[in-house]
Amino acid sequence: MQELTRTIGPVGIWSMELRGAARPEVREAAAELDELGFPALWIPGLDGRGAVDDIEHLLAAAPRATVALGVLSMWGQDPAALGDRWAALDAAYGPRAVLGLGVSNAHSAANAGQDYGKPTASMTRFLDGLDAAARPIPAERRLLGALGPKMVDLATARTSGWHPFLVTPEYSARQRERVSQGPLIAPHLAVVLDRDPDRARAAARAGIGMFIGFPAYRSNLARLGFDEEDLVPGGSDRLIDALVAWGDLDDVADRVQAHLDAGADHVTLHVLRPDTDSAGLPLRQWRELAALLPRFTPRTAN
């Protein structure tokens, strides 16, 4: 089993709110998550600006945690510059930063003045650039934002594994069967700690509903058996219930365990909250979720 799989454990926190980590309140929250025992903190790349700066702030604030970009669009990035920056992070904080890369979409490529091309070919060229850099980022601390089989195979061959978004335990099971035991599978899991179905589903749709319309996610969800009645704007109740862990802590624990039992190594918990409770950092929910950490054990297959 890969070292990264052992290091990050079965459960981490994925948070949009941990971006902007130059702010004292964000660094204080990261330090608390570290104290609570979360072994991995994940942040989205968004448009890329300031993402690596945020990684550095979080590494400084959470001295035991692995900090991962999940994921950074490859477009507009310089592989050599990324390698230099990662080497500097390693020198200052130890080898705790993980680079997640995504191929994004043709619009992002055009904005960077580049040709999107075939996604796997474009990502392969970028990984070649990382490997050729004066200070290459080790493959064991790289991940891809993959969904389909071609990008999954590339992640398996050239990185530590992949970080899929909007997937079910069935996805983890299918992919683990395809790739065997080696690569890391670290799915994103949206969480709403609310037992009221209407409020929970509304919070879920507000948080992830827009992504259901993106072609790559629609295609993957169709492969998982969802149809046009599910892939409506915001998603059907059936789809939301399949993608989002809502309810109490036991409900969340059951969904995490379902992913782990299916073959995932690590599940990143993304707290979503109703509009009436969405200001600031979700500290209360993170503290509640910390109680789940002792329930899960790492995958032990070699």
Side-chain angles (χ1 to χ4, degrees), residues 149-251:
K150 291 182 180 179
M151 197 65 75
V152 163
D153 289 344
L154 181 61
T156 299
R158 301 288 300 275
T159 77
S160 189
W162 74 101
H163 174 51
F165 187 72
L166 292 189
V167 296
T168 64
E170 174 62 22
Y171 173 89
S172 297
R174 291 183 185 182
Q175 296 304 325
R176 180 57 69 199
E177 184 176 3
R178 284 190 70 248
V179 302
S180 189
Q181 298 300 324
L184 172 77
I185 305 177
H188 165 284
L189 177 62
V191 170
V192 184
L193 286 173
D194 192 325
R195 297 183 66 184
D196 180 87
D198 293 335
R199 285 197 306 265
R201 289 169 180 150
R205 290 187 172 100
I208 64 166
M210 64 174 288
F211 298 104
I212 292 169
F214 290 15
Y217 297 126
R218 290 179 66 87
S219 295
N220 192 59
L221 291 168
R223 286 193 292 267
L224 290 172
F226 296 100
D227 57 28
E228 291 302 315
E229 293 184 359
D230 297 304
L231 301 175
V232 295
S236 68
D237 285 353
R238 181 173 88 103
L239 179 59
I240 291 298
D241 292 351
L243 296 177
V244 179
W246 61 263
D248 59 20
L249 285 178
D250 287 336
D251 295 318

Side-chain angles (χ1 to χ4, degrees), residues 16 29 32 63 90 97 156 187 217 228 267:
M16 196 80 71
E32 181 172 351
D90 287 356
T156 299
Y217 297 126
E228 291 302 315
V267 180

Side-chain angles (χ1 to χ4, degrees), residues 23-38:
R23 292 180 289 139
E25 62 269 27
V26 175
R27 296 197 302 274
E28 290 168 7
E32 181 172 351
L33 288 167
D34 197 27
E35 290 290 337
L36 287 169
F38 288 101

